[in-house]
Amino acid sequence: MTTLAFLDDAYLQQLATVITVVDGAWVETEATVFYAMGGGQPGDSGSFTGAAGRQHRVLDTRKGEAGRVCHQLEDDHGLRPGDTVIQALDWPRRYAHMRMHTALHLLSVAVPFGVTGGQIGADKGRLDFDLGETSLDKEQLSSQLNALIAANHAVSAGWIGEAELDANPELVKTMAVKPPRGAGRIRMVTIGDIDYQPCGGTHVARTAEIGPIRVLSIKNRGARNRRITLGWDEETTS
Ligand SMILES: [Zn+2]
């Protein structure tokens, strides 16, 4: 099992660690700052720097078996198990994912319906809701989200037992993505007193870090499903 350094500190950008497995371009390490694709959040990119100071690009990060994390390096990396490397994230990209991911939590607060899917990107993010006949106004929802952002709620994470989650099934808002299981515990993310849900992703520490946001579109996806897409409000940020 790879130690996931970002679960304790999402702001950690670099980490010295030791390579454990090399399978062609795919490299595993004892610990990692790289988030592996999952829960709608893309895998991190960045670099590994080896002992000789040679830098190798990390193109993508994926989940392996049994809680292991696999980093996809460029083919000719030449690294071996036992080598020490310094991992470094493509921080602007990851930080944008953290901001957008946290914004989608706020969207699930503003739109209190079941979530049927979602995707996080550095420029845009979206959630699909089982909204039925309820209609939403783009401008009104944008204002509501920006008010939640500006309120600067603290974001924190903790753990509960799987049995506790099973006894409180209403905590799971996302029907499409089941919380990761297996270690007997579930990671819960709290935003102020407005949101509490299982999540294994990376978030900002306070909602004001998200910055101004805009509802780009609300589209029909079938009879009951509505896709709500968020983007950065560049008119306000630039
Ligand atoms: Zn989350």
Side-chain angles (χ1 to χ4, degrees):
M1 205 168 165
T2 311
T3 301
L4 307 178
F6 56 82
L7 287 183
D8 291 326
D9 182 6
Y11 291 83
L12 193 62
Q13 298 178 37
Q14 293 203 3
L15 182 70
T17 186
V18 176
I19 292 176
T20 51
V21 177
V22 174
D23 181 5
W26 294 92
V27 176
E28 295 177 33
T29 48
E30 282 179 3
T32 190
V33 286
F34 286 76
Y35 180 82
M37 184 179 85
Q41 184 171 331
D44 281 330
S45 51
S47 66
F48 282 11
T49 301
R54 198 176 148 209
Q55 202 178 67
H56 310 277
R57 282 173 61 208
V58 176
L59 308 173
D60 198 3
T61 308
R62 297 292 176 97
K63 285 178 181 161
E65 283 172 24
R68 288 154 65 177
V69 171
C70 306
H71 311 82
Q72 185 189 14
L73 273 67
E74 291 177 298
D75 281 335
D76 59 344
H77 59 76
L79 294 166
R80 294 160 180 271
D83 288 355
T84 296
V85 290
I86 309 288
Q87 299 180 330
L89 287 178
D90 175 346
W91 177 248
R93 178 171 179 264
R94 152 66 96 70
Y95 188 52
H97 291 162
M98 285 161 58
R99 291 165 57 220
M100 184 55 75
H101 184 135
T102 311
L104 292 181
H105 277 255
L106 297 181
L107 180 60
S108 79
V109 171
V111 182
F113 291 83
V115 176
T116 56
Q119 184 63 46
I120 294 151
D123 300 321
K124 290 179 188 177
R126 61 171 167 82
L127 287 178
D128 296 342
F129 291 91
D130 181 15
L131 214 56
E133 296 305 310
T134 309
S135 65
L136 292 169
D137 179 72
K138 248 169 52 174
E139 301 307 320
Q140 203 183 334
L141 186 55
S142 293
S143 309
Q144 208 179 336
L145 288 172
N146 284 313
L148 291 173
I149 290 167
N152 205 16
H153 293 288
V155 184
S156 60
W159 300 89
I160 62 170
E162 288 185 350
E164 192 178 340
L165 184 70
D166 290 337
N168 298 280
E170 73 283 356
L171 293 176
V172 180
K173 292 182 180 181
T174 308
M175 306 174 201
V177 183
K178 293 282 171 260
R181 283 175 181 263
R185 60 178 196 165
I186 301 278
R187 185 169 183 255
M188 300 297 294
V189 171
T190 306
I191 302 182
D193 57 358
I194 59 173
D195 190 39
Y196 180 64
Q197 61 175 299
C199 188
T202 56
H203 311 83
V204 293
R206 301 200 72 97
T207 58
E209 282 187 49
I210 296 167
I213 213 152
R214 201 151 54 93
V215 177
L216 298 178
S217 61
I218 302 175
K219 288 183 177 156
N220 290 347
R221 304 279 296 177
R224 300 183 53 86
N225 274 282
R226 302 289 176 271
R227 172 165 293 177
I228 303 179
T229 303
L230 305 182
W232 309 120
D233 190 346
E234 284 163 19
E235 283 172 28
T236 318
T237 48
S238 61

